[in-house]
Amino acid sequence: MSIAVAAPRRWSKPPLIKSARLRWGLGLGAAVYLALAFGTTDVNWNRVWEGLPRGAQFVTAFFPPDFISRWDEIVEGIAESIWMTVVSTVVGIALSVPVGIGAARNIAPAPVYYFCRGILAVSRSFQEVILAIFFVKLFGFGPFAGFLTLSFATIGFYGKLLAEDIEDMDPAQAEAVRATGAGWLQWINFGIQPQVMPRMIGLGLYRLDINFRESAVVGIVGAGGIGATLNTAFDRYEFDSAAAILLIIIGIVMMLEYLSGYLRRWVQ
Amino acid sequence: MAVAMQGATKVWQRRDRRTQFTVWAAWLAGAAVFAYCFQLISDKTIWVFVLDAPAQAGDLAVRMVPPDWAFITQLGRPIWDTINIATLGTAMGIAIAVPVAYCAARNTTPSVAFVRPVALFIVVSSRSINSLIWALMLVTIVGPGVFAGIIAIGLRSIGFCAKLLYEAIEEIDENQVEAVRATGASGAQITAYGIVPQVLPAFAGISVFRWDINIRESTVLGLVGAGGIGLELNGAITTLAWTQVSLILLVIIATVIVSEWVSAKVRHAII
């Protein structure tokens, strides 16, 4: 009896995209796109070259950053950012609860559902800065416009996630509460709220974190906060003050992230 | 469960007295902080302007309708620039994020004591600074234009992509890596055959997700001079051409919705 010798076969890794046509098509499409994109992007290399020393200057400005000469402005800007963050997170979440409930397919009637989904879509489509431009136009310069901007942006974020969470809930629990003869508000409060609460607390803290980061930006268009101070520092080429502001922002964001991670573990 | 006595009858309560007080005190403290912060904002607000806002909004709305449809012929190029900023920026961000994530993941990093903290610092500093601030900085350094926008988006994407990617790497199934190692594979082969196939779907998902976010962010970079449709928006607002502004806003909404749709489709196909 002779041993059958199998023809030598080599194993090769299975590709991520199974259909060969799609794989090659995507590759080709990417290549054509990149060629077009690079071909139409005009970069003024002379200007870039001239800017490099300025970039180096900016990097050296971090050693050491200048906290002192603009200290008063920095403190004021940061304080404004913090107020805006706190107030807008609270107001934004309070407003997003009814919108989120209305945008959940399983508990809202169709007209309410489409209306609330519309609000969420508008709020999510526009970047905070675009909203800020209009709020500054309407309500005047200062933190009030920033507060409205961040609140409105919070509605889109928080309302959408709340709606999705309600849609994913366990209907049996809600049904059980309804079977006791509970009214609509009691039904929401005892049948649905306990199911979504742990996740929503975590997301609320996450949104607080995002709102602080965004509050640093809306100031660039005049809506209060540290952004205005930062913008001025860049415009005057005071890189050492700008470096100080950036370090403070990074520090606060890290602190908030750590804090919210800790609180989330504690809540859940 | 807490039960209170009312005369002789037992009444169900949600919490006992102590917990109820703690919850109440937490709400009180929260409300006080909120009221204090709002007071400070209100002191800095000129309320006359705020009260006037509904009239202003109505006025603005009248001036924005109908959109100046003829202007759309001039928006092709800015939209193309915006998409390029987002796409090339995402590509740049991911190219840098991959090695950073590899160094930041606890199970693949070359050195937990030295390399990992550096990688984590890169992730945190890239994430805490908004792309608009990166753009502000880069416009003063490399000059206004699309190039500054691409780099700004790229720098901002590093942190986001690297964070999600290193979390994906840390969650891989070690048995598969062990199995590849047992065949006598070298370090590079273990990475290529044991780790990469496990994180590739997550990687593709993260890239597309970030691309979608970047489209949205790159619409505003023009406000600080970093190219794209934001430049047109800024120009239209400063020249008070409100019919053009409304058209630009519509184009932005359409772009964002299309990109979100594409991203959702692709992620759905991968997962």
Side-chain angles (χ1 to χ4, degrees):
Chain A
M1 197 176 87
S2 64
I3 298 166
V5 180
R9 286 195 304 154
R10 278 187 69 86
W11 175 83
S12 67
K13 222 164 44 162
L16 177 68
I17 301 167
K18 292 214 171 54
S19 145
R21 196 185 288 168
L22 182 64
R23 196 163 67 236
W24 287 103
L26 277 179
L28 191 70
V32 169
Y33 168 75
L34 281 181
L36 275 179
F38 279 116
T40 53
T41 306
D42 28 66
V43 180
N44 185 350
W45 289 110
N46 286 330
R47 176 65 184 78
V48 173
W49 188 248
E50 273 169 34
L52 287 184
R54 210 179 284 163
Q57 210 180 320
F58 179 69
V59 173
T60 51
F62 274 93
F63 312 99
D66 177 11
F67 287 95
I68 296 120
S69 55
R70 299 274 168 232
W71 182 242
D72 293 341
E73 287 85 347
I74 294 176
V75 169
E76 207 187 322
I78 290 281
E80 249 180 47
S81 276
I82 293 175
W83 310 337
M84 271 158 48
T85 311
V86 171
V87 176
S88 63
T89 309
V90 172
V91 172
I93 290 178
L95 290 176
S96 66
V97 169
V99 179
I101 291 174
R105 191 75 197 92
N106 50 352
I107 60 172
V112 178
Y113 170 76
Y114 287 114
F115 178 69
C116 291
R117 281 282 161 177
I119 297 181
L120 295 184
V122 171
S123 156
R124 279 162 41 76
S125 295
F126 291 117
Q127 238 273 337
E128 278 86 345
V129 178
I130 297 185
L131 294 173
I133 295 175
F134 284 93
F135 281 122
V136 168
K137 279 251 178 298
L138 298 179
F139 295 92
F141 286 97
F144 192 80
F147 144 65
L148 289 177
T149 308
L150 296 177
S151 305
F152 191 65
T154 304
I155 295 177
F157 174 87
Y158 203 77
K160 179 162 191 275
L161 291 169
L162 177 64
E164 278 168 6
D165 220 28
I166 293 178
E167 284 171 356
D168 287 343
M169 71 171 184
D170 176 10
Q173 290 184 35
E175 190 60 39
V177 172
R178 172 159 276 183
T180 64
W184 190 80
L185 270 180
Q186 287 173 321
W187 178 55
I188 297 284
N189 193 7
F190 291 96
I192 294 170
Q193 193 208 354
Q195 295 195 49
V196 298
M197 210 52 184
R199 194 168 122 82
M200 293 329 277
I201 291 177
L203 284 171
L205 291 168
Y206 180 49
R207 186 65 215 187
L208 187 78
D209 188 22
I210 298 179
N211 275 348
F212 180 77
R213 266 180 251 192
E214 293 297 332
S215 78
V217 193
V218 292
I220 295 174
V221 293
I226 188 70
T229 323
L230 187 63
N231 197 10
T232 314
F234 275 119
D235 282 350
R236 294 185 179 174
Y237 296 101
E238 286 175 1
F239 288 146
D240 38 5
S241 294
I245 297 173
L246 288 179
L247 285 177
I248 292 177
I249 294 178
I250 295 179
I252 293 182
V253 168
M254 276 174 79
M255 214 172 67
L256 269 179
E257 200 157 294
Y258 181 78
L259 195 76
S260 73
Y262 177 79
L263 279 175
R264 250 181 290 179
R265 265 199 301 280
W266 183 68
V267 165
Q268 274 156 14
Chain B
M1 196 199 305
V3 175
M5 299 298 289
Q6 256 180 18
T9 45
K10 288 177 174 177
V11 181
W12 177 78
Q13 284 182 329
R14 200 165 157 201
R15 304 185 182 95
D16 62 31
R17 183 168 296 172
R18 200 191 168 86
T19 339
Q20 188 64 49
F21 262 117
T22 321
V23 169
W24 185 82
W27 276 104
L28 181 68
V33 169
F34 171 77
Y36 176 70
C37 290
F38 190 79
Q39 178 65 42
L40 291 169
I41 290 182
S42 145
D43 286 347
K44 284 211 162 191
T45 308
I46 303 170
W47 284 99
V48 183
F49 286 160
V50 176
L51 297 177
D52 191 32
Q56 291 282 335
D59 190 31
L60 201 60
V62 169
R63 273 188 261 172
M64 281 171 84
V65 180
D68 180 5
W69 296 109
F71 187 60
I72 202 154
T73 50
Q74 293 176 45
L75 288 181
R77 182 65 204 249
I79 274 290
W80 172 246
D81 278 347
T82 302
I83 295 171
N84 282 344
I85 291 175
T87 315
L88 299 179
T90 312
M92 173 191 150
I94 286 171
I96 304 175
V98 169
V100 171
Y102 185 81
C103 292
R106 210 172 265 120
N107 47 356
T108 53
T109 180
S111 148
V112 176
F114 298 105
V115 182
R116 187 161 188 269
V118 173
L120 286 183
F121 180 74
I122 295 177
V123 170
V124 169
S125 47
S126 151
R127 265 162 52 81
S128 355
I129 301 178
N130 196 291
S131 53
L132 201 65
I133 298 180
W134 281 117
L136 199 65
M137 219 181 310
L138 286 159
V139 165
T140 54
I141 292 172
V142 302
V146 176
F147 189 61
I150 294 174
I151 298 184
I153 289 284
L155 290 176
R156 175 71 176 80
S157 305
I158 294 173
F160 180 91
C161 297
K163 182 171 161 51
L164 292 177
L165 199 56
Y166 93 72
E167 282 169 359
I169 296 178
E170 283 182 350
E171 280 167 14
I172 58 170
D173 178 9
E174 277 299 324
N175 289 334
Q176 297 185 30
V177 181
E178 191 59 41
V180 175
R181 187 178 292 128
T183 64
S186 68
Q189 283 172 326
I190 290 174
T191 310
Y193 292 93
I195 298 173
V196 171
Q198 293 197 53
V199 296
L200 212 50
F203 171 76
I206 293 165
S207 317
V208 178
F209 185 35
R210 185 66 219 183
W211 174 77
D212 175 22
I213 299 176
N214 280 346
I215 289 269
R216 201 173 304 216
E217 301 221 321
S218 57
T219 55
V220 293
L221 292 182
L223 296 173
V224 295
I229 193 146
L231 218 54
E232 297 294 323
L233 181 64
N234 202 18
I237 289 177
T238 39
T239 54
L240 306 178
W242 295 109
T243 50
Q244 293 183 0
V245 172
S246 55
L247 181 72
I248 294 173
L249 293 181
L250 287 176
V251 169
I252 290 179
I253 290 197
T255 316
V256 168
I257 288 175
V258 169
S259 77
E260 199 160 283
W261 180 79
V262 169
S263 147
K265 271 271 178 237
V266 172
R267 269 184 293 161
H268 194 73
I270 294 168
I271 299 163

